[in-house]
Structures are given as structure tokens and as C-alpha cells.
Amino acid sequence: MSEVSKPSVLFVCVHNAGRSQMAAAFLTHLAGDRVEVRSAGSAPGDAVNPAAVRAMAEVGIDMSAAKPKVLTAAAVQASDVVITMGCGDTCPVFPGKRYLDWELEDPAGRGIEAVRPIRDRIEQHIRNLLAELQPTDTQQAD
């Protein structure tokens, strides 16, 4: 059986306090150790958005220990897929990487009622991404 390297995904938004943190948490939750997951921000905030933490807790995902991280060229270079969520031109671009841009509302300063639909859209994006990154178990057995 040959060893296949696991894909790596970097989620980027401006403050790394809401959308990218929720996306990273969903992918980690759904993929386990099958995908290497990173998140970062072009201008990281001081803390993760409490409404995002609450919204994720509602679906059984604990983000309470998450901390915003600064976006580095090294993080981009180490990732196969870079998914931006509103960081614009501040995201470094390297050849050979797959770049996706997910149009998602910024949950900053919004309450839980406004964050839930953003969370749900992120979950759907993550499920679609995971289906692309990981073949089904029956395909892996062939």
C-alpha cells in the first residue's frame, strides 16, 4: 500500500476571528487527521468572535481555544489549497497552489442570529471541499 500525502488547506480572512476559524474548525471536525488544516488573517484580531464560538458550539464543535494567527508566506507555501474569505489583495499568491474565494458575510460585530447562516454556508462549502479532497472509502480500497 503506497503512502499518499494528505492534502493541506489554509483558510484566510482579514481578522482570522470568524469565517476562517469556523471553516478550519469544520474541516478539522469532519476530516480528522486526513487533512492538514491551517487558518490565518492578514490583520489578525485579538480574539475569536464570541458569536462564532457560540454558533459552532451549537453544532458540537468547540472553538473556545482558537486564537487568531497572522498570515505568513510560509503558511501559504505549505498549503495545497488556499481559501480566501475577504482578505482581498493582501493574500500572497504562489504558483502551483489552488486558490478559492468564498463569498461570505463577515460575522464581525454581529449576533448569534446573524452568524448561524454564515456558519451553515461555511459547513456546506467544507462538505463540498472535503468531497473533492478525499475520495470515498470504497474508492480508496480499489
Side-chain angles (χ1 to χ4, degrees):
M1 185 165 134
S2 64
E3 184 177 321
V4 178
S5 65
K6 65 179 160 182
S8 58
V9 178
L10 170 64
F11 296 100
V12 182
C13 66
V14 176
H15 300 297
N16 189 224
R19 296 166 290 186
S20 57
Q21 291 283 355
M22 287 190 286
F26 263 125
L27 185 55
T28 299
H29 178 76
L30 294 172
D33 63 358
R34 295 176 295 157
V35 178
E36 187 174 344
V37 181
R38 299 178 181 87
S39 71
S42 51
D46 295 328
V48 173
N49 179 336
V53 172
R54 281 184 51 215
M56 293 300 285
E58 289 179 351
V59 295
I61 300 173
D62 182 7
M63 284 191 352
S64 61
K67 303 275 187 252
K69 295 168 279 311
V70 69
L71 176 64
T72 64
V76 175
Q77 287 178 310
S79 302
D80 299 313
V81 181
V82 179
I83 300 173
T84 58
M85 304 173 182
C87 68
D89 295 336
T90 61
C91 296
V93 176
F94 293 96
K97 304 295 175 192
R98 179 177 174 204
Y99 289 87
L100 301 171
D101 184 47
W102 292 351
E103 298 269 338
L104 297 162
E105 291 181 58
D106 188 350
R110 303 179 81 183
I112 189 76
E113 294 295 328
V115 175
R116 284 183 186 121
I118 299 168
R119 173 202 64 202
D120 295 344
R121 285 196 58 216
I122 290 170
E123 179 182 13
Q124 190 56 55
H125 278 297
I126 294 298
R127 289 184 182 279
N128 293 339
L129 176 68
L130 191 55
E132 292 174 26
L133 293 175
Q134 297 289 319
T136 64
D137 290 337
T138 55
Q139 288 173 327
Q140 288 176 345
D142 291 341

